[in-house]
Amino acid sequence: SQTIHQWPATLVQPVGSPLSLECTVEGTSNPNLYWYRQAAGRGLQLLFYSVGIGQISSEVPQNLSASRPQDRQFILSSKKLLLSDSGFYLCAWMPQGGFYEQYFGPGTRLTVT
Amino acid sequence: KQEVTQIPAALSVPEGENLVLNCSFTDSAIYNLQWFRQDPGKGLTSLLLIQSSQREQTSGRLNASLDKSSGRSTLYIAASQPGDSATYLCAVRPTDYGQNFVFGPGTRLSVLP
C-alpha cells in the first residue's frame, strides 16, 4: 500500500530564516506530487505541482520554491521566510493520468515569528 | 475559472441525525469530484471519488451524488456520530487544469452527543 510522509510535523522559524520541508511517498512510482498551503480559516491553496523528476510548475508567485530530486521526493524551500508564510503545509500525491484520487500527507505546521 | 463553494460553512447537529453537505462548482467541465474530511491539525482523508460519468458513490454511511450539469454535489451522512465531527471539503478536477484539483472552503461539522 502507498504511504506519504512529511517532516517536520511542526516548525517555528524566525523571519528571514531559510526553510526546507520534505515529502516522500512510498509504494508507488512516478506519481504526481503537490504542495498546498492552508492558512487559518481559509481553503487550500495549490503552491506547486510536479509530474516528474525536475519538472516543477508554480501556481502562485512568492518567495517559496519546490524541487523534486527523486521520483518520490518533493521538497518545499525558501531562502528567507516572511510572516505571511505561516500556515499548514500539505503534500499530496496522485497516480499519473487517468481519473484517480488525490492522497494527502499529515502536514507541517509552520509558524514564522 | 472554476470556483467551488460549500454551504453551509458550519453545521451542528445532534447525534443520530441524517445530514446533507453541499458543494457547488461553476464549470461543469470536470473529470471528477472528490470528498475529503479533515480533522483539526491533520491532513485530508479521502472519502469518496465520483467520476463525471457517475451519479453517485457510496461508502458505509456516506453517499455522495453528482449532478454535473447543474454544478452540484451532495454528501449524505446517515445516522451521524460524534466521530463524524470534522471539516468536510470537496474538490473538482477541471478538464482544463491539467491534473490539478480546485478545492472548496469546507463545511465544519459538529455532531453533538
Side-chain angles (χ1 to χ4, degrees), chain B residues 27-87:
Chain B
D27 190 342
S28 62
I30 64 170
Y31 286 121
N32 51 41
L33 182 146
Q34 191 170 356
W35 281 94
F36 298 85
R37 71 172 280 168
Q38 184 178 28
D39 295 291
K42 305 293 185 181
L44 277 66
T45 299
S46 177
L47 297 175
L48 290 164
L49 175 73
I50 310 178
Q51 304 297 348
S52 63
S53 59
Q54 297 176 319
R55 297 285 294 186
E56 64 178 60
Q57 280 284 349
T58 299
S59 176
R61 295 183 294 109
L62 305 180
N63 177 276
S65 67
L66 175 63
D67 184 344
K68 194 176 68 166
S69 60
S70 66
R72 294 179 184 175
S73 176
T74 61
L75 180 66
Y76 174 83
I77 303 177
S80 59
Q81 304 170 357
D84 295 329
S85 298
T87 297

Side-chain angles (χ1 to χ4, degrees), chain A residues 32 34 36 38 43-44 46 49 51 59 88 90 94-106 109, chain B residues 31-32 34 36 38 41-49 51-52 89 93 97-101 103-105:
Chain A
N32 289 341
Y34 305 84
Y36 292 89
Q38 189 176 36
L44 266 68
L46 178 63
Y49 66 95
V51 299
E59 285 293 300
F88 192 48
L90 289 158
M94 187 173 75
Q96 284 272 357
F99 303 89
Y100 301 108
E101 295 177 64
Q102 195 169 68
Y103 300 95
F104 281 77
R109 172 73 59 191
Chain B
Y31 286 121
N32 51 41
Q34 191 170 356
F36 298 85
Q38 184 178 28
K42 305 293 185 181
L44 277 66
T45 299
S46 177
L47 297 175
L48 290 164
L49 175 73
Q51 304 297 348
S52 63
L89 297 96
R93 186 179 163 203
Y97 196 31
Q99 299 185 50
N100 299 334
F101 283 82
F103 281 80

